[in-house]
Amino acid sequence: MPSTDSFATRENAIRIASSDLQYNEQTLRALFEHCSDVVFRSVALQDNAKLLLVYVDGMIDKELVQSSILKPLMYDGLPQGLRTLDSLAQMCNLQLVAALQTKRISVFDEVADLILKGSVAFLAEGESSILLADVSQFESRAIEEPSTEAALRGTRESFTEELRTNTTMLRRIIVTPGLKMESFQIGKLTKTEVVLSYIDGVASPSLIDQVRTRIEAIDIQSVLESGYIEEYIEDTNYSPFPQTQSTERADVVSAGLLEGRLAVFVSGSPIVLVVPMTFWDGLQAPDDYYERFLYVTMNRWIRYLFALFSILFPSIYIALITYHPEMVPPKLMLSITALREQSPFPTVIEVFIMEFMFEGLREAGIRLPQQIGPLVSIVGALVIGQAAVQAGIISAPIVIVVSAAGISSFVIPRYRFGYPFRMLRFPLLLLSGCFGLFGVALGLILILAHLIQLTPLGSPYLEPIAPAKENKLLNVLIRRPRKRTS
Amino acid sequence: MKKAMILLCLSLLSTVTGGCWNLKEPNQLAIVIAGGLDANKDGRLVVSSQIAIPAGLNSQSTGASNNRSFVVVSALGKDFMDAGQNLQTQLSRSLFYAHRQTILIGQRMAEQGLAKQGIRRYLDMIVRNPKSEIRSVIWVVKGGEAKDILATKPTFDPLISTALSSIQMSLGMKPYYFREFLGDALKNGGAVLLPAVSGNSSGTKFNYSGAAVLNKENGLRLSGFLKPVESYYANWITGRQKMFTITALQSQGGSSISIRVKPLRNRIDIDKGPQGIRVHIRLRGSGDIVENNTLLDPSSAKDLQTIQNRLSKEAEQRVAKLIDLAQKQYKVDFLGIGELVHRKYPREWKSLQKNWNDTFITLPITSEVRIRYQDPGQTNAAI
């Protein structure tokens, strides 16, 4: 076996294990050439029969292998009741290995895959198939509090990188065999496990079919995060609005499933996708359904107002100040004019500069190590807020406008959903700088037109507002209290 | 995507071809706070504008700099906009009228107008110009010129902008805006009452000085002024006064009693009898006694009756004098009777409206005022 064997050729050549242990060992050794973490361990059993174990160091539960596989075979002899075995081959055949999941495979590539996923391979003289026992165990992160979707009330558990942990969390919440978890393997190199989850009888079969076909059709070398899958599931990649709801909270996923939606788990990613998503889901917080309905209703309105505010405030400011100064109350107009006297730039340019600085600060705040984080906010506040105004580069109202709009974009409870609002500010700024309120109206019309024609996975994005569904309409505006039906 | 681009391009094109581009930075604007109309000695129009200097408004932070917060510029012209054009020659920023909150008319302008035409002709500009603010308050300057008042510095505000309407509100009146003036001036017959302001001799302060009577049948020319007290009663009759204090002297001695009346109610009955139209003005008001220097005790029914009668009589006398003033001295209907006749007898109004003022002075107008008290105040009798 040449060591320069490329991936493609290896895939084409399906090699079956022979009954010759020597040959099998050589083939596997060639496959795992230069893989220092793959261990080949020869064991001689009581009757000097040779048994070869192959595994990846660090991926298996050593304790388990030693105590329940090696020891019984080496010292205690064969299990009672089977007095003599013709060969080790027979032992492998009968799968006398104390592990929960075992498999017998004779194709080398499949064997290699399973070894890489944490199985131990048993090769025996005279046996043409290889026995694989799943004894995988990895170091994994503990379950922590959700970091991007904080809620005052509700579960403190967030998903981890371990797929099984995540699906288990869901199973613990929704206790029914109707909760289905279809598994797919995606990515030629990463062979990532993707699980499509739904509740049978709740989610519509056509929707399930659609998502299943889309997942099956994915042809990709690698999947590193659920974002990869997201782009294959969603309809319009060009839309600034996210069409799948991504969450790291088990309760959000459960709620979605119970509403007849689908969840996509991706191994190695703590972010789970819930499809299809509507615009209003993006503005709902996890604890909307746990808190008292009055506060929630108020909070919802605040969120809607601030979402609108975050996208419109800077452009309306520009439009009013430079195109329609008659619409500003006289006293306010005078004080704005007074503060603008020294500024060298037109209002539009000022707002642009500040918006870019704000986005820069935001990005820096995410990327910086935690120890330097506060530094950015101090520098941001001092340099941008104070010094730039005093130096006369930026006029003070701009700082207010931009920071108010920036902060209000963070009121949107799902962080990802704030992106389109921050991004669409810029085209709106341009439009209002060019055409005043007319431009703002134009921009809003375009955004609305886009939102209305957006139907990810066949469900309208703005439902139940457009198309109007009267029975659900109220739920967007208020959170109705749950009533006892006695 | 392609459709959206086409839509965007078309929309942009429509704005460009439609000329929808009027970007102006605020520091390119000379914001007119108040405007004044005067006639100079030759009878030519002088337009004055009070223009805010924003940098001066913001001088608190930079310490005790003596920056002016406004400047008054005046220019002659054939009409308002012609004068505006001439004003522009003195300014480096373009005039912006949309924040003009005050319009002042000088006495000579109000009396004679230009070329003996009255000021009615100049109403047009303020409505026609889209940038012009019709929510300005409009005042007549008594015994002076508008530009002198514009040059005074109000006590509280840095600019005259809201000072005049604040005066009206603190006196318990509704501010009289240009749009109301327009509505009143365009109806036929009678006269319009405009608030009047006068400056002191040194030209540093101004104060409310009653109302100006503009005769509508004479091109809105000034007929005369009402004293402040007279103007309160006139406003009560026309429903523009919300609150004021009536003080009555006791018949003997100099002791007085004051009542702050709020709310004020007015009701004018128009009846057509065999002798023609009769007008009966009924005014009612109730309020708190705010000062009592007399020996009367409001808690005793007899004294209370005396107080109420005394106050009502005082007010009644004032109203009777005011009616006299309108019918005998100014000979114009500034009490808005004409409009009420119009509403009640629209058919007859058609023939009456032409020379309403002549009819008005012959009308029998009776009046009665009833003032009641609500609250005797902290103490009953005077201490």
Side-chain angles (χ1 to χ4, degrees), chain A residues 136-177:
Chain A
S136 63
Q137 193 196 42
F138 328 94
E139 289 303 318
S140 73
R141 188 165 64 95
I143 296 172
E144 283 169 8
E145 278 199 38
S147 56
T148 59
E149 280 178 289
L152 290 177
R153 209 166 158 175
T155 173
R156 296 273 182 273
E157 284 182 339
S158 79
F159 289 129
T160 67
E161 285 75 8
E162 247 280 89
L163 182 72
R164 275 295 150 242
T165 317
N166 297 350
T167 52
T168 318
M169 267 187 220
L170 208 61
R171 279 263 178 233
R172 286 211 320 260
I173 298 172
I174 303 171
V175 188
T176 163

Short mmCIF file of all heavy atoms in Angstrom, two decimals, chain A residues 136-177:
data_model
loop_
_atom_site.label_atom_id
_atom_site.label_comp_id
_atom_site.label_asym_id
_atom_site.label_seq_id
_atom_site.Cartn_x
_atom_site.Cartn_y
_atom_site.Cartn_z
N SER A 136 -16.14 4.44 22.87
CA SER A 136 -15.65 5.81 22.74
C SER A 136 -15.93 6.62 24.00
O SER A 136 -16.94 6.44 24.67
CB SER A 136 -16.32 6.48 21.55
OG SER A 136 -17.70 6.56 21.76
N GLN A 137 -15.00 7.47 24.29
CA GLN A 137 -15.19 8.42 25.37
C GLN A 137 -14.29 9.61 25.11
O GLN A 137 -13.10 9.47 24.88
CB GLN A 137 -14.84 7.78 26.71
CG GLN A 137 -15.32 8.64 27.86
CD GLN A 137 -14.68 8.25 29.16
OE1 GLN A 137 -13.48 7.99 29.23
NE2 GLN A 137 -15.47 8.23 30.21
N PHE A 138 -14.90 10.79 25.06
CA PHE A 138 -14.08 11.98 24.81
C PHE A 138 -14.23 12.92 25.99
O PHE A 138 -15.20 12.90 26.72
CB PHE A 138 -14.52 12.78 23.58
CG PHE A 138 -15.09 11.95 22.49
CD1 PHE A 138 -16.46 11.73 22.39
CD2 PHE A 138 -14.24 11.39 21.56
CE1 PHE A 138 -16.96 10.98 21.38
CE2 PHE A 138 -14.76 10.64 20.54
CZ PHE A 138 -16.13 10.42 20.43
N GLU A 139 -13.28 13.81 26.06
CA GLU A 139 -13.41 14.93 27.00
C GLU A 139 -14.43 15.87 26.39
O GLU A 139 -14.38 16.21 25.21
CB GLU A 139 -12.07 15.67 27.13
CG GLU A 139 -11.01 14.88 27.87
CD GLU A 139 -11.46 14.47 29.26
OE1 GLU A 139 -12.08 15.31 29.95
OE2 GLU A 139 -11.23 13.30 29.64
N SER A 140 -15.44 16.29 27.18
CA SER A 140 -16.37 17.25 26.62
C SER A 140 -16.68 18.31 27.65
O SER A 140 -16.51 18.09 28.85
CB SER A 140 -17.66 16.56 26.17
OG SER A 140 -18.40 16.19 27.29
N ARG A 141 -17.11 19.44 27.17
CA ARG A 141 -17.38 20.59 28.03
C ARG A 141 -18.62 20.29 28.87
O ARG A 141 -19.56 19.64 28.41
CB ARG A 141 -17.64 21.79 27.12
CG ARG A 141 -17.75 23.11 27.80
CD ARG A 141 -17.63 24.18 26.75
NE ARG A 141 -18.75 24.12 25.79
CZ ARG A 141 -19.85 24.86 25.91
NH1 ARG A 141 -19.97 25.68 26.91
NH2 ARG A 141 -20.80 24.77 25.01
N ALA A 142 -18.61 20.83 30.06
CA ALA A 142 -19.78 20.65 30.91
C ALA A 142 -20.91 21.55 30.41
O ALA A 142 -20.68 22.52 29.70
CB ALA A 142 -19.42 21.01 32.34
N ILE A 143 -22.12 21.23 30.82
CA ILE A 143 -23.26 22.06 30.43
C ILE A 143 -23.20 23.36 31.21
O ILE A 143 -23.05 23.35 32.44
CB ILE A 143 -24.58 21.32 30.72
CG1 ILE A 143 -24.66 20.07 29.86
CG2 ILE A 143 -25.77 22.22 30.48
CD1 ILE A 143 -25.80 19.17 30.20
N GLU A 144 -23.28 24.44 30.48
CA GLU A 144 -23.17 25.75 31.14
C GLU A 144 -24.41 26.58 30.90
O GLU A 144 -25.33 26.16 30.20
CB GLU A 144 -21.94 26.49 30.59
CG GLU A 144 -20.65 25.96 31.18
CD GLU A 144 -19.45 26.50 30.44
OE1 GLU A 144 -19.65 27.39 29.59
OE2 GLU A 144 -18.34 26.04 30.72
N GLU A 145 -24.38 27.79 31.43
CA GLU A 145 -25.50 28.70 31.20
C GLU A 145 -25.41 29.26 29.79
O GLU A 145 -24.33 29.48 29.26
CB GLU A 145 -25.44 29.86 32.19
CG GLU A 145 -26.03 29.51 33.53
CD GLU A 145 -26.38 30.76 34.32
OE1 GLU A 145 -26.85 31.73 33.70
OE2 GLU A 145 -26.18 30.75 35.54
N PRO A 146 -26.56 29.49 29.18
CA PRO A 146 -26.51 30.05 27.83
C PRO A 146 -25.85 31.43 27.84
O PRO A 146 -26.16 32.25 28.70
CB PRO A 146 -27.98 30.15 27.40
CG PRO A 146 -28.78 29.92 28.62
CD PRO A 146 -27.93 29.23 29.62
N SER A 147 -24.94 31.64 26.92
CA SER A 147 -24.22 32.91 26.94
C SER A 147 -24.80 33.95 25.99
O SER A 147 -24.72 35.14 26.25
CB SER A 147 -22.75 32.67 26.61
OG SER A 147 -22.67 32.02 25.36
N THR A 148 -25.39 33.50 24.89
CA THR A 148 -25.91 34.50 23.96
C THR A 148 -27.40 34.72 24.12
O THR A 148 -27.94 35.66 23.59
CB THR A 148 -25.63 34.10 22.51
OG1 THR A 148 -26.24 32.84 22.27
CG2 THR A 148 -24.17 34.03 22.23
N GLU A 149 -28.07 33.82 24.82
CA GLU A 149 -29.51 33.97 24.97
C GLU A 149 -29.89 33.96 26.43
O GLU A 149 -30.49 33.02 26.93
CB GLU A 149 -30.25 32.81 24.28
CG GLU A 149 -30.38 32.95 22.80
CD GLU A 149 -31.06 31.73 22.24
OE1 GLU A 149 -30.41 30.68 22.23
OE2 GLU A 149 -32.22 31.82 21.84
N ALA A 150 -29.51 35.02 27.09
CA ALA A 150 -29.78 35.06 28.52
C ALA A 150 -31.26 35.28 28.74
O ALA A 150 -31.92 35.99 28.00
CB ALA A 150 -28.98 36.18 29.16
N ALA A 151 -31.77 34.62 29.77
CA ALA A 151 -33.17 34.85 30.14
C ALA A 151 -33.23 34.84 31.65
O ALA A 151 -32.47 34.13 32.32
CB ALA A 151 -34.06 33.76 29.57
N LEU A 152 -34.11 35.69 32.18
CA LEU A 152 -34.18 35.77 33.64
C LEU A 152 -34.82 34.53 34.21
O LEU A 152 -34.50 34.09 35.29
CB LEU A 152 -35.00 37.00 34.05
CG LEU A 152 -34.32 38.32 33.77
CD1 LEU A 152 -35.23 39.47 34.15
CD2 LEU A 152 -33.01 38.41 34.56
N ARG A 153 -35.74 33.97 33.45
CA ARG A 153 -36.44 32.81 33.94
C ARG A 153 -36.31 31.71 32.90
O ARG A 153 -36.18 32.00 31.72
CB ARG A 153 -37.91 33.17 34.14
CG ARG A 153 -38.54 32.38 35.21
CD ARG A 153 -39.85 32.98 35.61
NE ARG A 153 -40.65 31.95 36.24
CZ ARG A 153 -41.82 32.19 36.79
NH1 ARG A 153 -42.32 33.40 36.74
NH2 ARG A 153 -42.48 31.23 37.35
N GLY A 154 -36.37 30.48 33.34
CA GLY A 154 -36.24 29.39 32.39
C GLY A 154 -34.96 28.63 32.63
O GLY A 154 -34.19 28.95 33.52
N THR A 155 -34.75 27.61 31.83
CA THR A 155 -33.64 26.70 32.06
C THR A 155 -32.30 27.41 31.97
O THR A 155 -32.12 28.35 31.22
CB THR A 155 -33.69 25.54 31.05
OG1 THR A 155 -32.51 24.77 31.20
CG2 THR A 155 -33.75 26.04 29.63
N ARG A 156 -31.37 26.95 32.78
CA ARG A 156 -30.02 27.50 32.73
C ARG A 156 -29.10 26.62 31.88
O ARG A 156 -27.91 26.85 31.84
CB ARG A 156 -29.46 27.60 34.14
CG ARG A 156 -30.19 28.54 35.04
CD ARG A 156 -29.64 29.95 34.89
NE ARG A 156 -30.31 30.87 35.79
CZ ARG A 156 -31.45 31.50 35.47
NH1 ARG A 156 -32.00 31.31 34.29
NH2 ARG A 156 -32.02 32.32 36.31
N GLU A 157 -29.67 25.57 31.30
CA GLU A 157 -28.85 24.65 30.52
C GLU A 157 -28.71 25.16 29.10
O GLU A 157 -29.70 25.53 28.48
CB GLU A 157 -29.51 23.28 30.46
CG GLU A 157 -29.39 22.47 31.72
CD GLU A 157 -30.03 21.12 31.57
OE1 GLU A 157 -30.88 20.96 30.68
OE2 GLU A 157 -29.68 20.24 32.33
N SER A 158 -27.51 25.14 28.61
CA SER A 158 -27.39 25.41 27.18
C SER A 158 -26.74 24.20 26.52
O SER A 158 -26.11 23.39 27.18
CB SER A 158 -26.56 26.66 26.95
OG SER A 158 -25.20 26.37 27.09
N PHE A 159 -26.92 24.12 25.23
CA PHE A 159 -26.38 22.98 24.50
C PHE A 159 -24.86 22.99 24.54
O PHE A 159 -24.23 24.03 24.72
CB PHE A 159 -26.85 23.01 23.06
CG PHE A 159 -28.30 22.69 22.91
CD1 PHE A 159 -29.13 23.52 22.18
CD2 PHE A 159 -28.84 21.56 23.48
CE1 PHE A 159 -30.47 23.22 22.03
CE2 PHE A 159 -30.17 21.25 23.34
CZ PHE A 159 -31.00 22.09 22.61
N THR A 160 -24.28 21.80 24.35
CA THR A 160 -22.82 21.72 24.29
C THR A 160 -22.43 21.23 22.91
O THR A 160 -23.27 21.07 22.03
CB THR A 160 -22.28 20.74 25.34
OG1 THR A 160 -22.70 19.43 24.98
CG2 THR A 160 -22.76 21.08 26.73
N GLU A 161 -21.14 20.97 22.74
CA GLU A 161 -20.65 20.51 21.45
C GLU A 161 -21.00 19.05 21.21
O GLU A 161 -20.90 18.55 20.10
CB GLU A 161 -19.13 20.71 21.36
CG GLU A 161 -18.69 22.14 21.15
CD GLU A 161 -18.80 22.99 22.40
OE1 GLU A 161 -19.07 22.44 23.48
OE2 GLU A 161 -18.64 24.21 22.28
N GLU A 162 -21.37 18.36 22.27
CA GLU A 162 -21.64 16.93 22.16
C GLU A 162 -23.06 16.70 21.68
O GLU A 162 -24.03 17.10 22.34
CB GLU A 162 -21.48 16.29 23.55
CG GLU A 162 -20.31 15.36 23.64
CD GLU A 162 -20.65 14.00 23.07
OE1 GLU A 162 -20.46 13.81 21.85
OE2 GLU A 162 -21.11 13.15 23.84
N LEU A 163 -23.21 16.09 20.55
CA LEU A 163 -24.53 15.88 19.97
C LEU A 163 -25.42 15.08 20.90
O LEU A 163 -26.58 15.41 21.11
CB LEU A 163 -24.37 15.15 18.64
CG LEU A 163 -25.66 14.90 17.89
CD1 LEU A 163 -26.18 16.20 17.33
CD2 LEU A 163 -25.46 13.88 16.81
N ARG A 164 -24.85 14.03 21.50
CA ARG A 164 -25.67 13.15 22.33
C ARG A 164 -26.20 13.90 23.56
O ARG A 164 -27.34 13.73 23.96
CB ARG A 164 -24.87 11.93 22.78
CG ARG A 164 -24.86 10.81 21.79
CD ARG A 164 -26.25 10.19 21.57
NE ARG A 164 -26.33 9.68 20.22
CZ ARG A 164 -27.19 10.11 19.31
NH1 ARG A 164 -28.08 11.05 19.61
NH2 ARG A 164 -27.20 9.61 18.11
N THR A 165 -25.35 14.72 24.15
CA THR A 165 -25.79 15.51 25.29
C THR A 165 -26.98 16.37 24.90
O THR A 165 -27.97 16.48 25.62
CB THR A 165 -24.65 16.43 25.76
OG1 THR A 165 -23.45 15.69 25.75
CG2 THR A 165 -24.92 16.98 27.13
N ASN A 166 -26.89 16.96 23.71
CA ASN A 166 -27.95 17.86 23.27
C ASN A 166 -29.25 17.12 23.03
O ASN A 166 -30.31 17.56 23.47
CB ASN A 166 -27.52 18.55 21.97
CG ASN A 166 -26.30 19.41 22.17
OD1 ASN A 166 -25.89 19.64 23.30
ND2 ASN A 166 -25.73 19.90 21.08
N THR A 167 -29.15 15.99 22.34
CA THR A 167 -30.40 15.27 22.07
C THR A 167 -30.99 14.72 23.37
O THR A 167 -32.19 14.65 23.53
CB THR A 167 -30.17 14.13 21.07
OG1 THR A 167 -29.08 13.34 21.53
CG2 THR A 167 -29.87 14.65 19.69
N THR A 168 -30.09 14.37 24.30
CA THR A 168 -30.58 13.87 25.58
C THR A 168 -31.37 14.94 26.31
O THR A 168 -32.41 14.69 26.91
CB THR A 168 -29.41 13.42 26.46
OG1 THR A 168 -28.50 12.73 25.65
CG2 THR A 168 -29.88 12.55 27.58
N MET A 169 -30.84 16.18 26.25
CA MET A 169 -31.54 17.28 26.91
C MET A 169 -32.96 17.39 26.38
O MET A 169 -33.92 17.61 27.12
CB MET A 169 -30.82 18.59 26.59
CG MET A 169 -29.80 18.99 27.60
SD MET A 169 -29.23 20.62 27.14
CE MET A 169 -27.54 20.45 27.47
N LEU A 170 -33.09 17.24 25.09
CA LEU A 170 -34.40 17.36 24.47
C LEU A 170 -35.30 16.21 24.89
O LEU A 170 -36.46 16.38 25.20
CB LEU A 170 -34.21 17.35 22.96
CG LEU A 170 -35.26 18.11 22.19
CD1 LEU A 170 -35.24 19.56 22.59
CD2 LEU A 170 -35.00 17.97 20.71
N ARG A 171 -34.71 15.01 24.92
CA ARG A 171 -35.47 13.83 25.31
C ARG A 171 -36.00 13.98 26.72
O ARG A 171 -37.07 13.48 27.05
CB ARG A 171 -34.58 12.58 25.26
CG ARG A 171 -34.42 12.01 23.89
CD ARG A 171 -35.39 10.86 23.66
NE ARG A 171 -35.21 10.37 22.31
CZ ARG A 171 -36.19 10.23 21.43
NH1 ARG A 171 -37.43 10.55 21.78
NH2 ARG A 171 -35.96 9.80 20.23
N ARG A 172 -35.20 14.63 27.56
CA ARG A 172 -35.64 14.78 28.95
C ARG A 172 -36.83 15.73 29.05
O ARG A 172 -37.63 15.63 29.95
CB ARG A 172 -34.49 15.32 29.80
CG ARG A 172 -33.43 14.29 30.10
CD ARG A 172 -32.77 14.56 31.45
NE ARG A 172 -32.56 15.97 31.69
CZ ARG A 172 -31.40 16.59 31.52
NH1 ARG A 172 -30.35 15.93 31.10
NH2 ARG A 172 -31.29 17.86 31.78
N ILE A 173 -36.94 16.66 28.10
CA ILE A 173 -38.05 17.62 28.14
C ILE A 173 -39.28 17.03 27.48
O ILE A 173 -40.38 17.06 28.04
CB ILE A 173 -37.64 18.94 27.47
CG1 ILE A 173 -36.47 19.57 28.21
CG2 ILE A 173 -38.83 19.90 27.43
CD1 ILE A 173 -35.88 20.77 27.53
N ILE A 174 -39.10 16.46 26.29
CA ILE A 174 -40.25 15.91 25.56
C ILE A 174 -40.17 14.39 25.68
O ILE A 174 -39.37 13.75 25.00
CB ILE A 174 -40.22 16.35 24.09
CG1 ILE A 174 -40.21 17.88 24.02
CG2 ILE A 174 -41.42 15.80 23.35
CD1 ILE A 174 -39.98 18.42 22.64
N VAL A 175 -41.00 13.84 26.55
CA VAL A 175 -40.90 12.41 26.81
C VAL A 175 -41.96 11.69 26.00
O VAL A 175 -43.07 11.43 26.47
CB VAL A 175 -41.07 12.12 28.31
CG1 VAL A 175 -40.77 10.66 28.59
CG2 VAL A 175 -40.14 12.99 29.13
N THR A 176 -41.67 11.41 24.77
CA THR A 176 -42.58 10.66 23.93
C THR A 176 -41.79 9.99 22.83
O THR A 176 -40.83 10.57 22.32
CB THR A 176 -43.66 11.58 23.31
OG1 THR A 176 -44.27 10.90 22.22
CG2 THR A 176 -43.08 12.87 22.80
N PRO A 177 -42.17 8.78 22.48
CA PRO A 177 -41.49 8.14 21.35
C PRO A 177 -41.77 8.86 20.04
O PRO A 177 -41.12 8.62 19.04
CB PRO A 177 -42.05 6.72 21.35
CG PRO A 177 -43.28 6.77 22.17
CD PRO A 177 -43.15 7.90 23.12
#
